[in-house]
Amino acid sequence: MGFYTVSNVEDMRICVVMVGLPARGKSFISQKIVRYLSWLSIKAKCFNVGTYRRKVGPAHPDADFFDPSNKEGSQVRQNAVTEAVKDMMAWFSEENGVVAILDATNSTKERRRWVLKLCRENAIEPMFLESWCDDKELILRNISDVKTSSPDYEGIDPEVATKDFLRRISNYEKVYEPLDSDCDKDLTFVKLINVAQEVIVNGIQSYLESRVVFYVMNLHIRPRCIWLSRHGESVYNVEKKIGGDSSLSPRGLQYAEKLPEIVRKSAGDVNLTVWTSTLCRTQQTAQHLPYKQLQWKALDELDAGVCDGMTYEEIEEKYPEDFKARDDDKYEYRYPGGESYRDVVIRLEPIIMELERQENILIVTHQAVLRCIYAYFMNVPQEESPWMSIPLHTLIRLEPRAYGTEVTRIKADIPAVSTYKEKGTSKLGESSSDATAKFRNLLNGAPPSA
Amino acid sequence: MGFYTVSNVEDMRICVVMVGLPARGKSFISQKIVRYLSWLSIKAKCFNVGTYRRKVGPAHPDADFFDPSNKEGSQVRQNAVTEAVKDMMAWFSEENGVVAILDATNSTKERRRWVLKLCRENAIEPMFLESWCDDKELILRNISDVKTSSPDYEGIDPEVATKDFLRRISNYEKVYEPLDSDCDKDLTFVKLINVAQEVIVNGIQSYLESRVVFYVMNLHIRPRCIWLSRHGESVYNVEKKIGGDSSLSPRGLQYAEKLPEIVRKSAGDVNLTVWTSTLCRTQQTAQHLPYKQLQWKALDELDAGVCDGMTYEEIEEKYPEDFKARDDDKYEYRYPGGESYRDVVIRLEPIIMELERQENILIVTHQAVLRCIYAYFMNVPQEESPWMSIPLHTLIRLEPRAYGTEVTRIKADIPAVSTYKEKGTSKLGESSSDATAKFRNLLNGAPPSA
């Protein structure tokens, strides 16, 4: 319930114009915003000018290419941004885009005024988002990310790449004009200073803009992990029933007993906080964990409404049309008197926001809820996420990195029934699409802009 | 789902230290924060130094009293803030307070460092919140509010009061030092410039602080109204059943037909947006309204879980213990498989945030949901709000003002059953506590600080 109804944003179009020197985390922030909004069903896309530049210019340009006095380089870069903006405008008008991110340095006032004018001519609300940073350590970490992951330095010796990249940054510094509360009073902008140590927000117009601002304000880049687990096998699981508030089966209780050891092996001495739902089976699963525990109503299982407590076979028999409708569009299908996956995503939004703020959290919750949380971190599209396999008695460890999330699955080696229902049948069995999940082991983002 | 589980904040104590010249809306903001947090069950209290100053000093001090060179005046004011802080510390330790607001000008660095030191010595996290304003019109509007509502000017000719108040402001201006991103880098602070045209946020530590920041960022002071209505009488209402997703009764349909006229009479030509729940009865009620409409799942009725579709008599018979438990603590009681009032408040939090941002909204929703929304605007305590009478076929108009919310109830003159259940019985009847609601016609806040 944390967010917009879909129709609420339909007549709004926002262009988030990134601003900042190279190695200030612009691409990282851009991709996180796109992922967050997409997860909330708000159509968002990142237009990375670096990618366009590599299409129209040299594949591995050195720092001289970025010297403001280099006429040829400047022309190529101007062509690149022009192409990116052209594609962005087409995306807004032909594909009904809602939030575009123009990921580039946009380092001069002149360039920003040019983007501003184009946006205004096309009835698009521009919001400038500057990442300003003078924290040496932070910059060095970003440089190290770029030199290892940017296509600009593919196949180039890391030491050479670092030196060249530092020269590139100084070339940008020659002309860089930060956003300024006085001169840019008329713009809608957000200035993040050293990630979000200080944030300056100017002239925010819409709720959607304010949500993006709140989201980026909550980001941090301290290393951390998130652990996810379903509750142990429950009595209802064994009876093939969905929903309810049943206790754990004997095997589920075994999992609860083993969980502290599995967690300790994965997390070491890190001090975790455990989040459970308000339902009995998650709390029983977490009962032996030696950490602080919090219950969230928002982590309760997808509400199956009138079908709560039934088996899939019963649902197929009693509500054949609903049964089919759910298989046809599982993300949107709402049980009579209950919820859809979309509803669950909306109520999980504050959980995601809090997860972004926190460091080391272990979440013990339910199949549908975990699918939604997993989809956020792994960028799984809506049509796929409700079909992901998240087996019982398995601990999942997510490690968010600069350009993706690493995932590790640790099986507890305690047998459990499968609760995975294939499309088009009421039978439960191990999922063949487990393979899909396995291949999503690293989130692929756009290459970092440089 | 929008917010904290209660246990999450128990070991956190925050002092919001207001900063700003007189007539900058500090008391308005303070009271809104207290109301918002209290509604979310976070224990919050405002300590208005002006109130303390009137206790220890003259009842109607003139501007000379506030001259920084007036030794006696300065001493009285120092005593007042000392008393306020003493009470605040006692409230934290004896009453387990979570968020205190120290509502005063706190206009010098010296004063702020003094508060900072006291907070740190008592393990309280200080967050400075400055309202900085150079918008003449805004200041004049605030001055006009203060001269008519401040006890300092009680019984004094408005023209004399205005002149004196302007002199008082200039006395403060002599020593006022605004918060500064450079000198105050080590502080947690928020600086609101001309309400929220520009916002500077520095060093936010906790989620609770970030929520307060997000809340004040969304405030506006443009005049507006909010209209509330329950759906028309439904088939279930007539059958005395709770929950479900039934259609309107013939009288309910009559109300739907009459609603556009009633709204037009109250709102005039103002262009409204209508928010309904996803349930049939609210959409049928709104069907003839000539405004843009949005459906929110978050506006659905309190989920009665296993009791959905039953009459109160059936509940009393089938679940006598639950029936009694609910009467004993209606705010906390959660239907098995359903929700409590507390759960509803948490899922309504984003609705309230969006309402704060918007101008003219008409909400058509359900009894329990309206009680929660009404409680937010009218500052109704938790033990009372689930018992408020919100009759069918009645339009409620809320007009938020500087120091309270004005409420008007417009009856449609179409008969409907009563859905009001008195404590301790399963019978439905008109509520005697309707009187309570009627007396709450103006929210009483603390007097404005000056």
Side-chain angles (χ1 to χ4, degrees):
Chain A
M1 337 244 150
F3 216 76
Y4 264 94
T5 59
V6 182
S7 52
N8 213 349
V9 289
E10 71 196 0
D11 48 7
M12 202 185 298
R13 304 192 302 176
I14 294 169
C15 174
V16 179
V17 187
M18 299 304 294
V19 175
L21 290 169
R24 261 63 181 179
K26 295 185 301 300
S27 296
F28 172 68
I29 296 166
S30 303
Q31 286 172 51
K32 289 214 65 145
I33 296 172
V34 167
R35 185 150 61 88
Y36 171 68
L37 294 176
S38 304
W39 183 72
L40 288 163
S41 302
I42 293 168
K43 196 160 184 169
K45 188 171 178 178
C46 181
F47 295 84
N48 177 287
V49 175
T51 309
Y52 285 85
R53 191 241 308 138
R54 278 182 289 274
K55 274 190 219 157
V56 294
H60 304 288
D62 71 6
D64 296 331
F65 179 84
F66 299 92
D67 191 317
S69 65
N70 178 339
K71 286 262 156 50
E72 202 198 341
S74 300
Q75 188 56 50
V76 169
R77 285 154 62 209
Q78 177 62 48
N79 293 347
V81 73
T82 306
E83 283 304 304
V85 168
K86 221 169 74 185
D87 278 4
M88 181 176 82
M89 292 303 173
W91 175 77
F92 273 123
S93 58
E94 288 159 26
E95 300 185 47
N96 296 315
V98 179
V99 179
I101 322 257
L102 188 62
D103 179 16
T105 55
N106 295 307
S107 46
T108 65
K109 281 187 190 167
E110 196 196 341
R111 166 64 53 85
R112 296 195 291 266
R113 292 283 154 184
W114 176 79
V115 177
L116 181 70
K117 192 168 161 281
L118 282 172
C119 283
R120 290 203 173 143
E121 284 168 5
N122 290 276
I124 290 155
E125 184 67 38
M127 177 166 94
F128 294 86
L129 173 47
E130 180 175 15
S131 178
W132 191 94
C133 181
D134 64 357
D135 181 325
K136 292 272 176 305
E137 204 185 311
L138 225 66
I139 298 170
L140 284 174
R141 212 189 306 160
N142 277 329
I143 289 173
S144 147
D145 275 344
V146 171
K147 76 161 189 266
T148 53
S149 61
S150 168
D152 284 350
Y153 293 112
E154 218 182 296
I156 291 170
D157 176 73
E159 213 170 305
V160 177
T162 305
K163 274 196 191 142
D164 183 81
F165 195 49
L166 286 168
R167 273 182 53 228
R168 187 196 290 192
I169 296 174
S170 2
N171 273 329
Y172 273 100
E173 279 170 344
K174 290 178 193 163
V175 292
Y176 182 50
E177 298 164 300
L179 287 171
D180 181 296
S181 291
D182 289 326
C183 315
D184 297 312
K185 233 187 173 59
D186 59 321
L187 302 182
T188 294
F189 74 78
V190 190
K191 185 171 181 140
L192 299 174
I193 299 173
N194 292 327
V195 190
Q197 163 60 24
E198 184 179 342
V199 183
I200 302 176
V201 183
N202 189 72
I204 291 299
Q205 305 289 330
S206 66
Y207 185 63
L208 187 50
E209 286 172 350
S210 86
R211 293 304 310 212
V212 172
V213 172
F214 187 56
Y215 180 69
V216 296
M217 271 175 63
N218 282 305
L219 297 181
H220 72 77
I221 49 167
R222 298 180 294 278
R224 49 90 174 253
C225 285
I226 294 153
W227 287 266
L228 308 174
S229 172
R230 288 177 66 186
H231 52 81
E233 184 187 74
S234 73
V235 172
Y236 260 38
N237 289 155
V238 176
E239 294 169 351
K240 298 185 183 172
K241 288 178 183 164
I242 66 169
D245 191 11
S246 72
S247 302
L248 295 188
S249 73
R251 296 194 298 195
L253 289 169
Q254 246 181 290
Y255 178 66
E257 267 171 39
K258 202 170 173 184
L259 193 54
E261 181 199 325
I262 304 170
V263 172
R264 204 164 35 243
K265 268 193 191 153
S266 172
D269 290 334
V270 171
N271 190 25
L272 305 181
T273 302
V274 180
W275 294 355
T276 65
S277 76
T278 66
L279 297 169
C280 167
R281 57 196 184 275
T282 63
Q283 287 165 39
Q284 274 193 306
T285 307
Q287 65 183 314
H288 304 298
L289 291 164
Y291 311 110
K292 189 182 164 193
Q293 307 208 358
L294 288 177
Q295 291 176 28
W296 295 80
K297 176 89 179 152
L299 287 173
D300 281 2
E301 181 55 313
L302 186 147
D303 182 352
V306 296
C307 298
D308 188 81
M310 294 169 76
T311 66
Y312 285 117
E313 283 169 7
E314 284 166 354
I315 298 171
E316 189 177 18
E317 201 189 299
K318 214 170 159 186
Y319 301 102
E321 279 169 29
D322 281 89
F323 187 79
K324 193 180 168 309
R326 188 159 198 258
D327 269 6
D328 287 347
D329 190 350
K330 200 170 172 188
Y331 189 82
E332 296 290 350
Y333 173 81
R334 179 183 284 154
Y335 280 109
E339 290 179 303
S340 64
Y341 270 84
R342 176 187 296 284
D343 293 333
V344 174
V345 159
I346 290 171
R347 74 162 141 97
L348 282 174
E349 195 268 340
I351 296 274
I352 291 297
M353 197 66 86
E354 179 69 354
L355 269 177
E356 286 293 352
R357 289 191 61 79
Q358 293 288 341
E359 306 205 349
N360 297 297
I361 301 289
L362 162 56
I363 303 180
V364 181
T365 176
H366 308 267
Q367 179 164 256
V369 174
L370 276 187
R371 281 174 175 151
C372 296
I373 295 174
Y374 195 87
Y376 169 78
F377 282 103
M378 304 306 286
N379 213 12
V380 183
Q382 278 172 16
E383 59 279 14
E384 245 177 70
S385 61
W387 296 103
M388 274 187 301
S389 159
I390 311 225
L392 288 167
H393 301 180
T394 306
L395 182 70
I396 300 175
R397 176 174 172 276
L398 301 179
E399 190 176 359
R401 295 281 183 92
Y403 296 103
T405 302
E406 273 183 28
V407 53
T408 320
R409 289 186 178 216
I410 308 148
K411 288 201 177 289
D413 202 21
I414 295 169
V417 296
S418 165
T419 59
Y420 189 86
K421 187 191 96 58
E422 292 269 359
K423 210 174 194 157
T425 165
S426 58
K427 297 272 179 301
L428 297 175
E430 204 37 70
S431 146
S432 61
S433 56
D434 204 13
T436 320
K438 279 186 199 126
F439 281 120
R440 292 199 167 272
N441 274 3
L442 195 67
L443 167 76
N444 293 309
S449 153
Chain B
M1 339 237 145
F3 216 78
Y4 265 95
T5 59
V6 181
S7 51
N8 212 349
V9 288
E10 70 197 1
D11 48 7
M12 201 185 300
R13 305 192 301 176
I14 295 168
C15 174
V16 179
V17 186
M18 299 303 296
V19 175
L21 290 169
R24 262 61 180 180
K26 295 186 300 299
S27 295
F28 173 68
I29 296 166
S30 303
Q31 286 173 52
K32 289 213 67 146
I33 296 172
V34 168
R35 184 150 59 88
Y36 170 69
L37 294 175
S38 305
W39 183 73
L40 287 163
S41 302
I42 293 168
K43 196 160 185 171
K45 188 172 178 178
C46 180
F47 296 83
N48 178 287
V49 175
T51 309
Y52 285 84
R53 191 240 310 137
R54 277 181 290 274
K55 275 190 218 156
V56 293
H60 305 287
D62 70 6
D64 296 331
F65 178 83
F66 299 92
D67 191 317
S69 65
N70 179 338
K71 286 260 157 47
E72 202 197 339
S74 302
Q75 189 55 53
V76 169
R77 285 154 61 209
Q78 178 63 47
N79 293 345
V81 74
T82 306
E83 284 302 305
V85 168
K86 220 169 74 184
D87 278 4
M88 181 175 83
M89 294 303 173
W91 176 78
F92 274 122
S93 59
E94 288 159 26
E95 299 185 45
N96 296 314
V98 178
V99 180
I101 322 255
L102 187 62
D103 181 16
T105 54
N106 295 308
S107 44
T108 64
K109 282 187 189 166
E110 195 196 343
R111 166 62 53 86
R112 296 195 292 265
R113 293 283 153 182
W114 177 78
V115 177
L116 181 72
K117 191 168 162 279
L118 283 174
C119 283
R120 292 203 173 142
E121 285 169 5
N122 289 276
I124 290 155
E125 182 69 37
M127 177 167 93
F128 294 86
L129 173 47
E130 179 175 17
S131 178
W132 191 94
C133 181
D134 64 356
D135 180 327
K136 292 272 177 309
E137 205 184 311
L138 225 67
I139 298 170
L140 284 174
R141 212 189 307 161
N142 276 329
I143 289 174
S144 148
D145 274 346
V146 171
K147 77 164 189 262
T148 54
S149 60
S150 168
D152 284 350
Y153 294 113
E154 218 182 295
I156 290 170
D157 176 72
E159 214 170 305
V160 177
T162 304
K163 271 194 192 143
D164 183 82
F165 195 49
L166 287 169
R167 273 182 55 227
R168 185 195 294 192
I169 295 174
S170 7
N171 272 329
Y172 274 101
E173 280 169 343
K174 289 177 194 165
V175 292
Y176 182 52
E177 296 165 300
L179 287 171
D180 181 296
S181 292
D182 290 325
C183 315
D184 297 314
K185 234 187 172 59
D186 60 320
L187 301 182
T188 294
F189 74 79
V190 190
K191 185 171 180 140
L192 299 173
I193 299 173
N194 292 325
V195 189
Q197 163 60 27
E198 184 178 341
V199 184
I200 301 175
V201 184
N202 189 72
I204 291 299
Q205 305 289 331
S206 67
Y207 184 63
L208 187 51
E209 286 172 351
S210 87
R211 294 302 311 211
V212 171
V213 172
F214 187 57
Y215 179 69
V216 296
M217 272 176 61
N218 281 305
L219 297 182
H220 73 76
I221 49 166
R222 298 181 294 279
R224 50 89 175 254
C225 284
I226 293 153
W227 287 266
L228 308 174
S229 173
R230 288 178 65 187
H231 54 79
E233 184 189 74
S234 73
V235 173
Y236 260 38
N237 289 154
V238 176
E239 294 169 353
K240 300 186 182 172
K241 288 179 183 162
I242 66 167
D245 191 13
S246 73
S247 302
L248 295 188
S249 74
R251 296 194 297 195
L253 290 168
Q254 247 182 291
Y255 178 66
E257 267 172 38
K258 202 171 173 183
L259 192 55
E261 181 199 325
I262 303 171
V263 172
R264 205 165 34 243
K265 268 193 192 153
S266 173
D269 290 333
V270 171
N271 191 26
L272 305 181
T273 301
V274 181
W275 295 353
T276 64
S277 76
T278 66
L279 297 170
C280 166
R281 56 197 185 276
T282 63
Q283 287 165 39
Q284 275 191 305
T285 307
Q287 65 183 314
H288 305 297
L289 291 164
Y291 312 109
K292 189 180 163 192
Q293 306 207 358
L294 289 177
Q295 292 176 27
W296 295 80
K297 176 88 178 153
L299 287 173
D300 281 2
E301 181 55 312
L302 185 148
D303 182 352
V306 296
C307 296
D308 188 80
M310 295 169 75
T311 65
Y312 284 117
E313 284 169 8
E314 284 166 354
I315 299 172
E316 190 177 17
E317 202 189 297
K318 216 170 158 184
Y319 301 102
E321 278 169 29
D322 282 88
F323 187 80
K324 194 180 167 309
R326 188 161 199 256
D327 269 5
D328 287 347
D329 190 350
K330 201 171 172 187
Y331 189 82
E332 297 289 353
Y333 173 81
R334 179 182 284 156
Y335 279 111
E339 292 178 303
S340 65
Y341 269 85
R342 175 186 297 281
D343 294 332
V344 174
V345 159
I346 290 171
R347 75 160 139 99
L348 282 175
E349 194 269 341
I351 296 273
I352 291 297
M353 198 65 87
E354 178 69 354
L355 269 177
E356 285 292 352
R357 290 192 60 80
Q358 293 288 340
E359 307 206 348
N360 296 296
I361 301 290
L362 162 56
I363 303 180
V364 181
T365 176
H366 308 265
Q367 180 164 257
V369 174
L370 277 186
R371 281 174 175 151
C372 296
I373 295 175
Y374 194 87
Y376 169 77
F377 282 102
M378 305 306 286
N379 214 10
V380 182
Q382 279 172 15
E383 59 278 15
E384 244 177 69
S385 61
W387 296 103
M388 273 188 299
S389 159
I390 311 225
L392 288 166
H393 301 178
T394 306
L395 182 70
I396 299 175
R397 177 175 172 274
L398 301 179
E399 191 176 357
R401 295 281 183 92
Y403 296 103
T405 303
E406 273 183 28
V407 53
T408 322
R409 292 186 176 214
I410 307 149
K411 288 200 176 288
D413 202 20
I414 296 170
V417 296
S418 165
T419 59
Y420 188 87
K421 187 191 94 59
E422 292 269 358
K423 209 173 194 157
T425 164
S426 58
K427 297 273 178 300
L428 298 174
E430 205 36 70
S431 145
S432 61
S433 56
D434 205 13
T436 321
K438 279 187 198 125
F439 282 120
R440 293 201 167 271
N441 275 2
L442 196 65
L443 166 76
N444 293 310
S449 152

